[in-house]
Amino acid sequence: MVTFNEIKEAHKRILPYIHRTPILTNRSLNLLSSSKLYFKCENFQRTGSFKIRGATNAVELLSQDKINRGIATASSGNHGAALSMAVKRRGGRVTVVMPSNTPKIKVENVKRNGGNIIWCAPNQNSREKTLNELVNKNGSIIIHPYNDKRIVTGQATAGLEFLEDQPDLDCIITPLSGGGLLSGTLSSVKKMKSSIKVFGAEPEEADDAFRSLELGKIVKNDTTNTICDGLRAQIGTITFPIIKNYVDGIITVSEDDIKDAMRMIWERMKIIIEPSCSITLAAVLKQKSKFKNLKIGLILSGGNVDLDQLPW
């Protein structure tokens, strides 16, 4: 687990380069869920997602010599765009290995922020093989999207801000994929408030973290056939031990429930979010009795949605 001092130092380090995102509420969704919901809007963050936090922290810790060697990563989009922005600011270049089925908006976001793209097949093996071939060829420095302590520490700053601005929360729910955001949130908020509960929300169609927690060891995804393109990654070897030791539960959610929650937020809150973060509201609605009358923090992790491919 990263230390709370490391998280506070990371927050100071990245503060000039990120937004302190707002917390929104919605009376209609409160009534529907029988709870009080507080939405931390990382969809308003720079590059459109929370990923700028971890990417900036990792990049700012690199020497200029390493920046000059070039940076490489594999990403379904949001980390790639965030890393491209952070590295470009320091005069470097980023190559992003991206799955061929990445939404167009996320591809354009990487390009707009200065990243170069190499395509791979939409599976974990192809991502890793393509990235390793790239690094072996040109000697680039890898910054992993989640399985990196510097990334986890940066992502932890979202939870830090959340509890600073809304200290009376009973629990926080984050989306769960590789585990960077959830493990980071656990690392910050559990130190700030010992009584708080923290849950991860994961698609039923990519539930490796849920099954790994049940078995006590990392297992692979059987499928990644989910609309949540940002939640298809494999749980990490760095993130899983933190989650295993501190999480209060993982809630798996169906594709229909994810789409329904996404539409509710668009229609009732009038904001653009990805299905990868509507899953947090879907988790609350799935287990309303668990969360009844509680003050619940939901991290809306991103807002990069292909407007030509809406699920409804």
Side-chain angles (χ1 to χ4, degrees), residues 16 35 94 111 148 177 180 221 226 235 240 249 265 279 299-300 306 312:
S35 56
V94 174
K111 292 179 179 178
D148 183 314
S177 181
N221 272 315
T226 174
I235 194 73
F240 179 65
I265 291 174
I279 194 171
I299 297 183
L300 297 180
D306 190 342
W312 52 80

Side-chain angles (χ1 to χ4, degrees), residues 99 104 130 134 138 142 158 191 200 222 227 260 265 272 278 309:
K104 181 180 178 182
T130 306
L134 170 67
N138 62 17
I142 294 177
K191 293 290 179 66
D222 290 332
I227 190 175
D260 289 346
I265 291 174
I272 294 176
S278 72
Q309 300 290 334

Side-chain angles (χ1 to χ4, degrees), residues 65-77:
D65 178 63
K66 288 186 176 179
I67 292 288
N68 293 341
R69 285 173 57 184
I71 307 300
T73 195
S75 169
S76 59

Side-chain angles (χ1 to χ4, degrees), residues 23 36 38 40 156 158-164 166-175 181-182 184-186 188-190 192-193 195-201 246-249 251 280 283-284 291 294-300:
I23 298 170
K36 292 184 178 179
Y38 298 85
K40 173 73 167 165
L160 173 74
E161 291 180 2
F162 211 162
L163 265 194
E164 284 182 345
Q166 196 65 47
D168 58 346
L169 292 176
D170 296 306
C171 64
I172 291 177
I173 305 175
T174 85
L181 181 58
L182 179 56
T185 301
L186 288 163
S188 55
V189 305
K190 290 283 189 177
M192 297 171 73
K193 185 176 182 179
S195 63
I196 198 166
K197 304 292 186 183
V198 180
F199 298 89
Y246 296 100
V247 79
D248 293 288
I251 302 167
T280 57
V284 173
F291 298 109
L294 298 180
K295 293 181 178 179
I296 308 166
L298 306 179
I299 297 183
L300 297 180

Side-chain angles (χ1 to χ4, degrees), residues 261-307:
M262 179 179 174
R263 183 161 186 158
M264 282 181 205
I265 291 174
W266 279 52
E267 290 181 342
R268 302 189 192 198
M269 297 183 70
K270 317 304 179 188
I271 60 175
I272 294 176
I273 62 154
E274 301 177 29
S276 296
C277 55
S278 72
I279 194 171
T280 57
L281 175 60
V284 173
L285 297 178
K286 179 179 180 179
Q287 297 196 7
K288 286 173 67 172
S289 60
K290 177 194 290 284
F291 298 109
K292 186 175 182 180
N293 296 326
L294 298 180
K295 293 181 178 179
I296 308 166
L298 306 179
I299 297 183
L300 297 180
S301 52
N304 294 311
V305 181
D306 190 342
L307 299 180

Side-chain angles (χ1 to χ4, degrees), residues 107-122:
V107 174
E108 294 304 317
N109 203 13
V110 170
K111 292 179 179 178
R112 187 166 58 250
N113 284 288
N116 301 311
I117 296 172
I118 294 179
W119 300 107
C120 68

